[in-house]
Amino acid sequence: MAADISAAVAFLAEAGATVQAALERWLPDEREAAAAPRLAEAMRYSALAPGKRLRPALALAGARAVGGSDADALPYACALELIHTYSLIHDDLPAMDDDDLRRGRPTSHKVYGDALAILAGDALHTLAFELVLRETSDPARAGLLARELAVASGYHGMVGGQVADLAAGGGVPDAEVLEAIHRRKTGALIAAAVRGGARAAGADDATLAAFGNFGAALGLAFQITDDILDVTGSAAALGKTPGKDERESKLTYVALLGLDGARARADREVERALEALRGIAGTELLGAIAHFVAHRDR
Ligand code: GRG
């Protein structure tokens, strides 16, 4: 298992550098943004901050797994990261999680104020779709990728899951409610990363379905590990404030199953993820990333 994780760590570093360079190029340059330099600066502040780049890396790995190149999936990969970044900015606002620290830096609203943080999130959200539609060479494929992003990030996915999470408040832990929330809130974008990366490289329907199942299980493993790290991690390692879930009596996998139970559940989701890939050649890297996700320390 250690060898698997080191392969994933090396790939994430390589993919992260590729994505960082592309984001540098595709984000508006505040030095040239005569109309709204402060908006461009706020967009760059959050999007270029040191995140793990897991979602774009999964998209590139999905493309490679079906014989594609990084270039096939790079606009889509960056779009995922922009949508993810917008969700973090909005989630950190006083009206939601009210957080001061993100990716090791003061949160967007702490630096730019609530109004500009909201607008920077909005602009990153729409830039994601602009990028996919402008930079994906095949227009039919671009349309399908934009649809994939929209479904995963909106009502049916991330935003719907966030609202369900807010509505659940600190209620009695219930496995079905928790899973339904996280399949949408976190899992949908992660599943769309793997599937969309493969779609960008021309994958067939059977592969897309298998990668969707892989991504859904991986998304749950990611969220369970996120819940565990909120208890066991430090602000220095995580780059965000730990311990908030317990302080706010949030519905989490640790609250539901305890630490050991949550770890066992994350491992089970990794097994499910690997099962979805069984028999599909070229998916070793995706498997390695699944192991990494459940054994990361940040
Ligand atoms: C506010 C529209 C809106 C949606 C909010 C996904 C989400 C829904 C909010 C993000 C806040 C959050 C803490 C979600 C739980 C899991 C998660 C997505 C953690 C952060 O993702 P990482 O660990 O972050 O991949 P980095 O910084 O490494 O990219």
Side-chain angles (χ1 to χ4, degrees), residues 1-11 284-285 287-292 295:
M1 187 175 288
D4 274 349
I5 291 173
S6 66
V9 169
F11 172 72
E284 296 77 9
L285 179 57
I289 296 173
H291 282 295
F292 164 83
H295 294 94

Side-chain angles (χ1 to χ4, degrees), residues 7-297:
V9 169
F11 172 72
L12 284 168
E14 182 199 333
T18 303
V19 167
Q20 189 79 8
L23 288 173
E24 288 270 6
R25 197 168 69 246
W26 283 331
L27 280 160
D29 185 340
E30 72 267 35
R31 289 160 304 183
E32 293 164 12
R38 193 90 172 132
L39 174 61
E41 185 189 313
M43 292 165 75
R44 297 178 76 87
Y45 175 81
S46 293
L48 297 176
K52 288 183 289 300
R53 310 297 188 217
L54 175 66
R55 294 151 193 81
L58 282 168
L60 300 187
R64 287 190 191 188
V66 298
S69 68
D70 289 355
D72 291 328
L74 197 54
Y76 182 74
C78 289
L80 286 162
E81 187 64 17
L82 296 179
I83 288 180
H84 170 58
T85 305
Y86 118 70
S87 82
L88 298 178
I89 295 174
H90 284 192
D91 190 65
D92 289 334
L93 287 164
M96 284 202 237
D97 249 18
D98 195 10
D99 248 306
D100 295 352
L101 186 68
R102 174 67 68 181
R103 294 177 163 174
R105 302 177 176 181
T107 45
S108 179
H109 66 275
K110 285 281 158 192
V111 179
Y112 296 101
D114 292 4
L116 195 54
I118 291 168
L119 293 165
D122 292 341
L124 290 170
H125 188 185
T126 47
L127 179 61
F129 289 92
E130 181 187 334
L131 266 189
V132 164
L133 293 167
R134 192 187 70 213
E135 300 290 337
T136 304
S137 47
D138 178 331
R141 223 172 256 179
L144 290 170
L145 291 173
R147 178 176 167 175
E148 184 97 50
L149 276 181
V151 171
S153 62
Y155 171 81
H156 299 288
M158 184 178 76
V159 174
Q162 172 80 346
V163 172
D165 197 9
L166 292 174
V172 181
D174 175 313
E176 266 181 46
V177 171
L178 195 56
E179 187 167 323
I181 289 171
H182 291 306
R183 281 198 184 282
R184 292 169 79 183
K185 178 179 162 181
T186 322
L189 202 62
I190 288 179
V194 192
R195 205 174 40 220
R199 193 189 277 289
D204 60 32
D205 286 347
T207 306
L208 292 176
F211 283 15
N213 291 335
F214 166 82
L218 181 65
L220 271 187
F222 175 90
Q223 182 60 53
I224 297 165
T225 309
D226 198 71
D227 289 353
I228 293 170
L229 289 172
D230 188 69
V231 176
T232 61
S234 66
L238 299 176
K240 62 182 179 181
T241 317
K244 287 198 77 177
D245 292 344
E246 199 184 348
R247 277 199 297 284
E248 290 166 14
S249 308
K250 286 195 80 174
L251 197 53
T252 69
Y253 279 92
V254 176
L256 182 71
L257 304 171
L259 262 181
D260 288 346
R263 284 199 184 99
R265 182 66 205 277
D267 283 340
R268 204 164 89 221
E269 291 304 329
V270 171
E271 290 308 319
R272 281 191 181 141
L274 299 177
E275 183 60 35
L277 299 179
R278 198 176 301 278
I280 308 178
T283 54
E284 296 77 9
L285 179 57
L286 287 174
I289 296 173
H291 282 295
F292 164 83
V293 158
H295 294 94
R296 64 202 164 95
D297 56 11

